[in-house]
Amino acid sequence: MKLISVGDAAPNFTLTDNNEQYVTLTNYRGKKVLLSWHPLAWTPVCTDQMRALETNYQTFQSLNTVPLGFSVDPTPCKKIWADALQLKLVRILADFWPHGKVAMDYGIFREQDGYSERANIIVDENGKVMWVKVYPSAQLPDINEVLNVLSSNTGK
């Protein structure tokens, strides 16, 4: 499995979110989309990662970007977790079945562990990958780095 690269067409997907609504990547054409992957819900770093998306939601909107959280946890788990974290704006998607397929499509599924890498992938307005960063599992992604990447690419 090869990590997706900048310039690649982002594989399309349709997954359910924490509100049991379908989310399809191609429905966001004309906007940038941040695919923010966390290994598993209910862990401290993953919690902080998703809260950072919620806290910065208006900034993402001003940058014509839709932030989406992802993990291989099932939809009911995502719903309870999002409620516990008081996430009202950010959609948290379940890449549960087929288990980890979208993570596999992006080259970030950890076969030996059964979950994804911690990663941020930005898809541009035309459905092309414009930025990829994989983090050590225990490292909280720097939300300011992501916002800086988006800010520096507002003219695209």
Side-chain angles (χ1 to χ4, degrees), residues 15 23 28 38 42 61 71 80 106 112 116 122 136 138 140 150:
L15 296 173
V23 175
Y28 292 110
H38 55 281
W42 301 103
Q61 294 291 283
S71 77
I80 294 167
Y106 282 82
Q112 70 280 13
S116 75
I122 301 173
L140 178 65
L150 290 165

Side-chain angles (χ1 to χ4, degrees), residues 58-73:
Q58 297 308 323
T59 304
F60 283 114
Q61 294 291 283
S62 72
L63 295 169
N64 193 37
T65 304
V66 176
L68 298 173
F70 291 79
S71 77
V72 299
D73 299 289

Side-chain angles (χ1 to χ4, degrees), residues 74-142:
T75 301
C77 174
K78 303 310 268 184
K79 180 174 181 35
I80 294 167
W81 189 51
D83 289 348
L85 296 180
Q86 299 182 330
L87 302 180
K88 305 289 185 210
L89 303 169
V90 173
R91 299 173 86 174
I92 310 294
L93 282 57
D95 185 18
F96 182 68
W97 198 256
H99 189 74
K101 179 178 182 326
V102 177
M104 287 178 206
D105 290 347
Y106 282 82
I108 58 169
F109 189 74
R110 296 170 59 121
E111 195 76 42
Q112 70 280 13
D113 298 316
Y115 52 78
S116 75
E117 297 282 359
R118 186 177 310 282
N120 280 320
I121 299 169
I122 301 173
V123 178
D124 73 11
E125 297 90 341
N126 300 308
K128 298 279 188 201
V129 174
M130 62 179 272
W131 190 71
V132 177
K133 185 159 184 183
V134 176
Y135 306 84
S137 283
Q139 180 183 331
L140 178 65
D142 181 354

